[in-house]
Amino acid sequence: MKIKVLLVDDHLLVMHGIQQLLENEIDLEVVNTVCDPALLETEIKKHNPNVVVMDIRMKNDNGIEWTRKIAQTYPTCKVVILSGYNYDEYIQAAYEAGAYAFVTKESSVFELANAIRQTYLGVKSFPINRLDHCNSPLTKTELDILQLISEDKTNVEISELLHISRRTVEHHVSSILRKLDADSRVGAVVKAIKLGLIG
């Protein structure tokens, strides 16, 4: 029995290219392609695909929101997220929305086909080392300290500005690095800016 795959991407060239590559795999069958997500539910009901391969970003739609909806409404239909961007926060969001795999568009067809097979079997395949701990929110004080770090303030300057001891500042900095899974102050600032935590 072939694994039934539905492709969702608003870039027709990309989608048809993927379709041709997947159709060379003897155990996969692309049942249809959808370039307008408004038609997605109709196509799912019509073809009952095993796996939906969905672009994460489309012009007027959000692949993450659709993934969440499919996971809740069509539990037998599993989602593989396809992304042109290998951002940590995209991987985290796809995982939390209920996707079974995250594959970049630069990946080989072998990797995509393998992710589809793993997904069909109910096995999640994510770059787990990239699934960071950004779901643990920073406290108000930690955000304030991070903002000051981004302004090149030292721990001594931060302690004076916030009227707390230097040891307390050091404790907060350690907590920030742990929560953002960063290995340096600069790394924490870069990740916080990407996540929209600080401006």
Side-chain angles (χ1 to χ4, degrees):
M1 192 187 83
K2 291 195 174 191
I3 300 169
K4 294 190 290 183
V5 181
L6 183 65
L7 297 179
V8 187
D9 196 321
D10 60 357
H11 295 100
L12 278 173
L13 280 173
V14 172
M15 185 162 63
H16 288 151
I18 293 168
Q19 179 184 9
Q20 286 178 338
L21 291 167
L22 290 180
E23 283 175 344
N24 291 329
E25 302 290 317
I26 56 171
D27 58 337
L28 304 181
E29 178 193 357
V30 178
V31 292
N32 208 352
T33 57
V34 179
C35 60
D36 180 1
L39 305 171
L40 182 52
E41 288 197 81
T42 304
E43 293 298 318
I44 288 174
K45 288 171 185 168
K46 184 176 174 183
H47 297 284
N48 193 25
N50 304 116
V51 179
V52 173
V53 176
M54 173 133 45
D55 189 16
I56 197 167
R57 285 176 71 175
M58 293 170 277
K59 278 193 278 289
N60 302 313
D61 277 279
N62 181 330
I64 295 295
E65 290 305 316
W66 272 108
T67 299
R68 193 172 283 116
K69 185 169 187 177
I70 291 169
Q72 290 168 353
T73 316
Y74 307 97
T76 59
C77 179
K78 301 179 177 77
V79 178
V80 170
I81 284 286
L82 196 59
S83 173
Y85 305 92
N86 195 15
Y87 296 153
D88 288 359
E89 54 267 36
Y90 281 8
I91 297 169
Q92 185 81 22
Y95 182 83
E96 290 175 359
Y100 272 75
F102 184 99
V103 181
T104 65
K105 290 183 179 178
E106 286 77 43
S107 298
S108 66
V109 68
F110 170 78
E111 288 174 273
L112 176 58
N114 198 42
I116 291 169
R117 293 182 187 109
Q118 293 288 316
T119 293
Y120 174 68
L121 294 170
V123 178
K124 295 204 172 196
S125 44
F126 281 82
I128 291 297
N129 59 324
R130 300 283 303 282
L131 278 176
D132 53 40
H133 310 291
C134 293
N135 49 354
S136 53
L138 300 182
T139 64
K140 171 77 168 64
T141 305
E142 285 168 352
L143 284 171
D144 289 343
I145 288 173
L146 197 52
Q147 185 65 51
L148 290 169
I149 290 172
S150 74
E151 295 165 12
D152 282 334
K153 297 285 190 286
T154 65
N155 284 359
V156 174
E157 290 170 321
I158 292 170
S159 72
E160 289 168 357
L161 285 163
L162 297 181
H163 307 292
I164 54 179
S165 74
R166 199 173 83 186
R167 185 174 288 276
T168 302
V169 173
E170 288 166 1
H171 171 75
H172 282 306
V173 170
S174 295
S175 175
I176 290 165
L177 295 180
R178 188 181 71 251
K179 287 182 179 180
L180 292 181
D181 196 25
D183 52 15
S184 68
R185 291 159 67 103
V186 172
V189 169
V190 170
K191 185 165 280 192
I193 290 169
K194 265 174 48 174
L195 291 169
L197 297 176
I198 60 174

